[in-house]
Each structure stands twice: as C-alpha cells, then as structure tokens.
Amino acid sequence: MAAFESALKKIIGGKVAAFFTKNLLLIAAVILTVQIWLAIRYQLQVDRDIEIPVTIQTQGDEVPLGTPSPDKVTVSLSGGSSLVSNLTGRELRMVLNTSRAKKKEEANVTKCSWNITTSNVDAPFGLRVKNVSPAMINLSLDNFITKELPVEAILNEADLPDGYKIGKVTVEPVKVTVRAPSSKLSKLKKVRTTPIPLDNITHSFDCDQAIDSEKYTDIDFDRKNVLVQVEILRRTRTRSFKTLPVRILIPSASRQQAMTCEIVSNPTVDLEVSGAENVVNALRREDIFIFANISEFLKPGLYQIDLRFAIEKNGISSFKITPSKVNVKLERISKR
C-alpha cells in the first residue's frame, strides 16, 4: 500500500511540474497583468463628498412628525475615477428603521435617534464609504388612535329667503368614530359637514350630508355621510302700538233698533302683535282696526264688551289688546 501511494505521488507531481514548465510564460503574463491592473486602479482612486436624503421606515401605527433632523447627510466616498465622477447620488441610499432607533417617550410623542456609521449607507459595488456626517439623526413619532367626535352641521342662515330662519337642527348619528395621529386628535373637538345649501328653502327638510373630509387631512372616518334634519321657521317679530282708538261695529240690522252707543271707559287701547317679521315691520297704525261688536245687544243698558283686532294683511300669529274689554252704554233714541 505504501509503495502504491509513493508511485502515485511521483506520477501526479511529475504532471504538475510538466504543466507549470509548459505554461510558465502564460502564468507569468497573467500575474503581471493583474499587478499592472491593480497598480493602475490604485493610482486612479478618487475621493468625493455627496449629499443624499435620509429615508425612515416606520412600524405599525407610527406616524412621523415632520422630517428627520437633518433630512440629508453628507457621505464621503472613495472609488474609481470613472465610477465616482458619474455618480449622481441616486445610487446611494440611507434607510433607517424605527425598530432599531433609540426611543424615549415624551408627552405622547416618541423621540427617536440613530447613531450613524458608514454601514448605514448602501453604496454600489466598487465604492468605499469612508465617512458619514452628521453622526446622529433624530425624528419624533406619533401614534394613530381612535376617538369619537360630535358632528356639526354647517348652515348659513343668511342664504334663506327673507322672513325665514333656522330652527332645530338634528344630526344622526350625533358622533362619528375617527382615527388619526394622537397629536392631531388632541386638538380636534368636533368635525363638520360640508355646507348645506339653503337657497330658496322655505320649509323643513332632511338631507344625507357628507362630512367635510377634505378639511381634515390624515384623518380616517368610520362613515362618509350623516343624516341632517333641518327645521325652517318663519322669522317673527313682536311690536307694540300705543293709544289706538276703539271703534264700535254696528251692523246694518242693528241700526233698526234706533239706539245710540257711547264708550264710557277709556276710548283707546294698546296693541302688541307678533307675526312674520316682514309683515310686522310693514304694519302701520292706519292698517289696524280695534273694534267692539254690539250687534248682540238689543236692549238699552251698560255693557262690557270684548275687543277684537283686524288688519288687511296676513302673517300675524298672535296679538294682545290692553285693556281687552271696553264699557259701552246703549240708549234708545226717544221719539218726539
């Protein structure tokens, strides 16, 4: 066995020696070429500083508050002349993950920081990252939270026709669920609908109105619309008129009784009217008729009669006459 191994080594050793002897010039040429290439490459190495943006990767419900500080870093590179001179910066990347940051909680905000080294820069093959400046990146993080907020219907009463106003407004549901960064929701007390048009509206109505989501950026709503019920009322006004004269209403049939009528109490009264604002505003003393109807009284005597009120305009909803009664004396006309 030992003799066989010795013979095999002699055969292999002889073949290897023969190969190197036969190809000695070729091997020497390859080694010389590699040495020349390495020498040229080393002599053509150049340095360059280039500025690249910082990219942050967040986890779960984390929300960056602003941009990293700083949002760009300066990278010092070394590499071949042609490779470095053609570098635009897009070939370099710095991606920082919040899971690897140092974190500190402050007032519902998470403060993150990263110690930056050359290993944080992803550079193309053939380039060597020598240095990165600055050596630290900071960023504040917020978290998404869920909260219920009341909904306010937006209406402009000035858009209604003259003489009308908004009454009771009901929103269903009263509250909606929103999801947003906690820093934003802590300041938000309610959400609003888009404006509800009221042009030429003179009656109560219901509408399916959208929440003004364009106004609330970075906020998610559990629904897009709410039901709004709007009550439209006539705009009213109360107005007083003083010392209006009382008139006696004597139908033609009563004149046959041949009696005289005399007011024995105060012949003037005060009137308070309420109704549509435009009607009450336009009301004049000449339009008002306060009267006592004596047509039911057929015999002479002293009577207390309820006073009545009449005008030629519609839109009066209530009135109050003070005093509300008048004393009259009826006497038969003597025949001579």
Side-chain angles (χ1 to χ4, degrees):
M1 187 67 178
F4 174 77
E5 290 179 355
S6 177
L8 183 62
K9 288 181 179 179
K10 288 181 179 180
I11 295 171
I12 295 174
K15 290 184 177 181
V16 171
F19 172 80
F20 276 102
T21 301
K22 183 179 180 179
N23 298 285
L24 182 61
L25 292 177
L26 178 61
I27 293 171
V30 171
I31 294 173
L32 182 59
T33 302
V34 171
Q35 289 178 336
I36 294 172
W37 178 81
L38 290 174
I40 294 173
R41 184 176 182 274
Y42 178 78
Q43 290 178 354
L44 293 180
Q45 291 280 313
V46 296
D47 295 336
R48 180 183 175 187
D49 290 344
I50 189 167
E51 194 175 61
I52 64 172
V54 177
T55 302
I56 303 295
Q57 286 184 343
T58 57
Q59 306 294 311
D61 287 338
E62 294 175 341
V63 183
L65 292 174
T67 57
S69 177
D71 59 354
K72 293 182 180 180
V73 294
T74 301
V75 179
S76 298
L77 300 167
S78 178
S81 175
S82 60
L83 183 59
V84 172
S85 61
N86 294 327
L87 197 64
T88 63
R90 290 191 294 269
E91 301 90 341
L92 302 174
R93 296 179 68 234
M94 174 178 281
V95 180
L96 302 178
N97 197 303
T98 56
S99 64
R100 299 180 180 178
K102 295 179 181 179
K103 296 182 179 179
K104 183 179 179 181
E105 300 294 331
E106 293 183 5
N108 297 326
V109 174
T110 303
K111 301 288 187 178
C112 293
S113 62
W114 292 265
N115 291 320
I116 305 303
T117 65
T118 57
S119 62
N120 294 118
V121 180
D122 184 12
F125 177 76
L127 291 177
R128 183 169 67 91
V129 180
K130 298 171 60 178
N131 186 45
V132 182
S133 178
M136 179 170 285
I137 302 292
N138 298 299
L139 178 67
S140 296
L141 296 176
D142 201 352
N143 290 298
F144 272 94
I145 62 172
T146 300
K147 185 178 180 180
E148 280 194 336
L149 292 175
V151 182
E152 179 186 5
I154 300 302
L155 306 104
N156 186 2
E157 193 171 75
D159 294 338
L160 285 173
D162 290 342
Y164 291 88
K165 66 178 182 178
I166 297 172
K168 183 179 180 181
V169 178
T170 304
V171 179
E172 179 63 34
V174 177
K175 294 182 178 181
V176 295
T177 302
V178 299
R179 186 172 181 270
S182 60
S183 58
K184 181 164 290 189
L185 279 188
S186 63
K187 301 175 183 178
L188 196 60
K189 304 303 180 184
K190 60 185 176 182
V191 295
R192 297 181 173 185
T193 67
T194 55
I196 300 174
L198 296 177
D199 297 339
N200 301 319
I201 298 295
T202 59
H203 56 277
S204 301
F205 64 93
D206 300 346
C207 64
D208 193 33
Q209 197 67 18
I211 295 173
D212 195 357
S213 57
E214 293 185 2
K215 184 177 181 179
Y216 307 103
T217 56
D218 300 328
I219 295 180
D220 295 327
F221 296 87
D222 67 337
R223 61 189 302 136
K224 295 182 179 180
N225 293 41
V226 292
L227 176 65
V228 181
Q229 297 175 313
V230 183
E231 183 182 36
I232 302 299
L233 303 173
R234 291 294 295 266
R235 189 181 295 277
T236 60
R237 181 193 169 188
T238 299
R239 186 179 175 191
S240 297
F241 295 87
K242 302 295 185 180
T243 62
L244 294 173
V246 176
R247 305 178 187 183
I248 301 299
L249 183 62
I250 305 175
S252 301
S254 298
R255 293 174 184 167
Q256 298 177 359
Q257 306 300 323
M259 288 192 295
T260 61
C261 178
E262 178 186 0
I263 297 176
V264 295
S265 60
N266 195 334
T268 63
V269 294
D270 297 334
L271 174 67
E272 182 180 271
V273 293
S274 297
E277 187 177 52
N278 57 335
V279 174
V280 174
N281 286 342
L283 195 59
R284 301 174 302 169
R285 292 177 64 89
E286 305 89 78
D287 301 322
I288 301 171
F289 186 70
I290 306 293
F291 65 92
N293 187 354
I294 64 169
S295 60
E296 297 178 358
F297 303 98
L298 304 178
K299 296 180 179 180
L302 187 63
Y303 299 97
Q304 189 176 62
I305 304 174
D306 291 329
L307 293 175
R308 296 289 184 266
F309 161 71
I311 62 170
E312 297 181 354
K313 298 182 179 182
N314 296 323
I316 300 300
S317 57
S318 64
F319 65 92
K320 179 182 179 181
I321 301 174
T322 306
S324 60
K325 299 177 183 293
V326 67
N327 296 324
V328 297
K329 181 179 180 182
L330 297 181
E331 290 183 331
R332 195 178 301 277
I333 298 175
S334 59
K335 296 180 180 180
R336 294 184 179 178

